[in-house]
């Protein structure tokens, strides 16, 4: 287009732009690009097109520039890195008679880039360890070490990044975008709000997400920030309450089979034994009271293998959870008609930019590698989307003004 399209000829001063220059430009100048994104938001806000009264956040997976079979264990990456280092030395040692200068430069660059990618891949194993990934399952892509295998909307799995987009509900303008390595959205709302505040210098009054973001921590955090949070109630009953559910316990001996007696503040187990109050814990933002049976009762119990099979030292325990006031208030709010009506708008607002970016701009797979660069590619797409929205809204406004009275 730089060769024949007048607008691009004007932009480039009629100079020939080669593919490398254009490609490098896309991932250089990240501060300038972020600044431009914020400036456009400022203009849209000044025009009254962004209000931050209601912001919807959603995450979308975009494929990385890496194949599924590029993921390797640490030992394989170390071997490949050793070979890559030898190759760099071998290529550097080629004499000018053996190869032309241009080919030699290209080979050296390719060998150096491969070595750098493998070095980055090796470092990424430390990141996986910090994320708590099981050592046996740790694999890193040698093509794009920072991407992760993520579940796709079609149910399959692919190397991807998770793009988090915050959209102002008034005109579907994107007010913040971030790219993360997490395969789910569980911890992504607070960082998203931080990005909105950074870009707009203001906190949204109301935030809407789908159930993938809902956790006790998120509800409490939104409450602390005085943001009205709208999302479906996800019942987390049983999670993190220290119950034995899921540890090989038979269904008849799950926590629900233990009967609480408020008068004596104790539980009675299915075998009629008493579990006395032992202590209080704060888990997953929920206060939890722990009750335990006598060791002698459980160790000699005929149904021990069904009730607490792994318990060799103490008696069986159960936990009684007490919901935090913030969670109870959130549940009550989400049962109201108003909250449900607001939530119904979520899909249309939050998914509009996602659709544009993927379907209209064709960004289903990143064309660059690494968290920083894919972050810039996502930012370019959102900036372009916002400018398109801005043009559409301005034309609409101009058309209304031009209509005869
Ligand atoms: S193992 Fe302990 S808690 Fe479980 S049924 Fe037997 S006595 Fe009761």
């Amino acid at each position: 287009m730089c060769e024949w399209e007048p607008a691009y000829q004007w932009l480039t001063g009629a100079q020939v732009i080669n593919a490398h220059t254009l490609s490098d430009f896309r991932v250089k100048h990240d501060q300038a690009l972020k600044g431009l994104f914020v400036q456009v938001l400022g203009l849209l806000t000044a025009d009254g097109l962004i209000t931050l009264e209601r912001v919807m956040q959603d995450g979308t997976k975009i494929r990385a520039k890496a194949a599924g079979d590029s993921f390797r264990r640490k030992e394989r990456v170390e071997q490949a890195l050793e070979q890559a280092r030898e190759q760099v030395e071998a290529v550097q040692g080629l004499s000018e008679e053996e190869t032309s200068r241009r080919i030699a430069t290209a080979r050296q660059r390719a060998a150096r880039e491969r070595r750098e990618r493998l070095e980055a891949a090796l470092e990424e194993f430390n990141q996986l360890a910090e994320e708590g990934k099981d050592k046996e399952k740790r694999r890193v892509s040698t093509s794009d070490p920072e991407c992760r295998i993520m579940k796709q909307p079609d149910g399959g799995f692919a190397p991807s990044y998770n793009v988090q987009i915050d959209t102002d509900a008034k005109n579907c303008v994107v007010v913040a975008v971030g790219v993360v390595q997490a395969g789910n959205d569980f911890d992504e709302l607070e960082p998203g709000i931080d990005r909105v505040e950074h870009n707009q210098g203001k906190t949204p009054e109301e935030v809407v997400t789908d159930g993938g973001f809902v956790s006790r921590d998120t509800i409490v955090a939104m409450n602390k920030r005085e943001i009205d949070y709208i999302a479906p109630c996800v019942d987390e009953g049983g999670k993190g309450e220290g119950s034995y559910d899921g540890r090989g316990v038979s269904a008849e001996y799950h926590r629900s089979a233990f009967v609480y007696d408020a008068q004596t503040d104790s539980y009675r187990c299915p075998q009629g034994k008493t579990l006395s109050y032992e202590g209080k814990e704060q888990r997953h933002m929920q206060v939890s009271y722990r009750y335990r049976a006598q060791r002698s009762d459980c160790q000699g119990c005929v149904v021990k293998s069904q009730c607490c099979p792994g318990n060799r030292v103490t008696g069986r325990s159960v936990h009684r959870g007490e919901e935090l006031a913030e969670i109870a208030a959130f549940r009550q709010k989400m049962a109201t008609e108003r909250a449900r009506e607001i939530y119904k708008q979520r899909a249309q607002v939050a998914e509009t930019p996602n659709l544009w970016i993927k379907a209209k701009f064709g960004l289903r797979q990143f064309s660059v590698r690494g968290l920083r660069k894919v972050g810039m590619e996502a930012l370019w797409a959102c900036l372009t989307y916002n400018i398109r929205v801005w043009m559409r809204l301005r034309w609409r406004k101009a058309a209304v003004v031009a209509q005869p009275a």
Side-chain angles (χ1 to χ4, degrees):
M1 287 176 85
C2 293
E3 286 170 13
W4 51 265
E5 166 70 41
Y8 290 88
Q9 287 176 331
W10 176 82
L11 265 177
T12 58
Q15 296 295 308
V16 177
I17 304 288
N18 75 23
H20 276 302
T21 309
L22 206 52
S23 184
D24 289 349
F25 176 78
R26 195 174 37 182
V27 291
K28 276 184 181 170
H29 322 294
D30 53 349
Q31 288 311 314
L33 180 64
K34 284 175 189 164
L36 182 60
F37 187 79
V38 172
Q39 278 179 44
V40 170
L41 290 183
L43 291 166
L44 285 157
T45 306
D47 270 1
L49 302 173
I50 298 174
T51 61
L52 291 196
E53 282 170 12
R54 183 172 295 154
V55 168
M56 315 236 174
Q57 185 167 329
D58 198 18
T60 186
K61 312 278 169 48
I62 295 186
R63 290 190 182 222
K65 196 180 176 185
D69 60 5
S70 66
F71 283 73
R72 304 271 184 279
R73 284 172 183 274
K74 194 174 182 185
E75 303 76 50
R76 292 281 308 276
V77 175
E78 282 168 340
Q79 280 171 13
L81 180 57
E82 211 167 296
Q83 288 167 1
R85 282 177 178 149
E86 286 169 8
Q87 200 184 353
V88 169
E89 280 175 28
V91 171
Q92 279 169 348
L94 286 177
S95 66
E96 280 200 16
E97 296 85 61
E98 288 172 277
T99 177
S100 79
R101 208 167 137 251
R102 205 166 149 213
I103 293 172
T105 309
R107 280 185 184 169
Q108 281 172 14
R109 191 181 61 222
R112 193 183 61 243
E113 284 176 356
R114 179 169 156 71
R115 187 199 64 199
E116 286 169 357
R117 269 207 305 277
L118 289 165
E119 283 169 348
L122 214 46
E123 275 179 26
E124 205 58 26
F125 281 99
N126 300 333
Q127 172 73 23
L128 286 179
E130 275 176 31
E131 287 169 15
K133 183 100 175 164
D134 186 353
K135 198 174 176 187
E136 281 303 300
K137 292 183 182 161
R138 283 178 213 159
R139 307 260 194 296
V140 169
S141 166
T142 51
S143 311
D144 183 353
E146 289 181 306
C147 72
R148 296 285 184 270
I149 296 281
M150 293 182 190
K151 195 166 185 190
Q152 306 296 307
D154 63 5
F157 290 84
S160 309
Y161 287 95
N162 181 352
V163 180
Q164 293 286 321
I165 296 176
D166 288 89
T167 310
D168 186 82
K170 188 173 182 193
N171 285 302
C172 293
V173 174
V174 172
V175 286
V177 56
V179 178
V180 297
Q181 294 169 296
N184 60 54
D185 299 328
F186 220 51
D187 295 320
E188 299 309 326
L189 186 54
E190 276 219 273
I193 301 297
D194 289 342
R195 285 190 287 269
V196 175
E197 287 176 346
H198 176 266
N199 289 347
Q200 292 283 98
K202 198 175 153 194
T203 305
E205 290 170 31
E206 190 180 79
V207 171
V208 185
T209 70
D210 65 19
F213 289 82
V214 179
S215 69
R216 292 186 184 105
D217 291 17
T218 302
I219 295 167
V220 172
M222 291 303 111
N223 203 54
K224 249 188 204 163
R225 287 175 173 233
E226 298 181 358
I227 294 173
D228 191 8
Y229 182 38
I230 304 285
C233 267
V234 176
D235 189 6
E236 292 190 297
K239 265 193 206 173
E241 290 176 6
S243 73
Y244 278 67
D245 302 3
R247 292 194 211 166
V249 176
S250 303
E252 312 90 83
Y253 297 95
H254 281 179
R255 194 186 61 159
S256 55
F258 291 67
V259 181
Y260 179 65
D261 181 345
Q263 266 191 342
T264 58
D265 189 24
S266 65
Y267 275 91
R268 189 159 293 274
C269 79
Q271 291 290 314
K273 304 293 181 191
T274 301
L275 284 78
S276 310
Y277 175 69
E278 193 180 61
K280 184 176 161 184
E281 293 170 12
Q282 174 112 11
R283 290 174 162 221
H284 300 269
M285 310 305 287
Q286 188 181 33
V287 178
S288 166
Y289 301 97
R290 191 177 59 252
Y291 297 78
R292 194 175 295 281
Q294 294 286 324
R295 177 178 185 271
S296 52
D297 286 340
C298 294
Q299 294 303 326
C301 178
V302 289
V303 294
K304 181 182 173 292
S305 60
Q306 296 168 63
C307 181
C308 47
N311 202 354
R312 296 204 177 87
V313 186
T314 59
R316 163 80 192 257
S317 71
V318 294
H319 285 68
R320 184 168 62 85
E322 194 173 81
E323 202 162 60
L324 286 178
E326 292 95 324
I327 313 294
F330 177 73
R331 277 188 203 285
Q332 274 181 9
K333 177 175 68 184
M334 287 314 300
T336 63
E337 197 54 38
R338 175 188 166 269
R340 289 182 183 176
E341 283 304 313
I342 293 170
Y343 186 69
K344 278 187 197 162
Q345 302 167 15
R346 191 205 69 83
Q348 195 245 323
V349 174
E351 289 166 16
T352 297
N354 289 352
L355 272 174
W356 264 74
I357 288 164
K358 285 187 174 173
K360 294 228 179 209
F361 302 159
L363 185 55
R364 294 179 186 280
Q365 182 175 29
F366 287 111
S367 56
V368 289
R369 295 181 172 116
L371 206 48
R372 189 189 71 80
K373 290 183 181 175
V374 300
M376 290 192 67
E377 196 170 358
L379 195 57
W380 274 116
C382 291
L383 175 65
T384 311
Y385 164 82
N386 277 352
I387 292 172
R388 295 284 288 264
V389 172
W390 190 18
M391 286 160 69
R392 182 169 52 81
L393 293 171
R394 286 216 136 212
W395 279 335
R396 192 188 290 168
K397 207 166 146 187
V400 170
V401 172
Q403 269 181 12

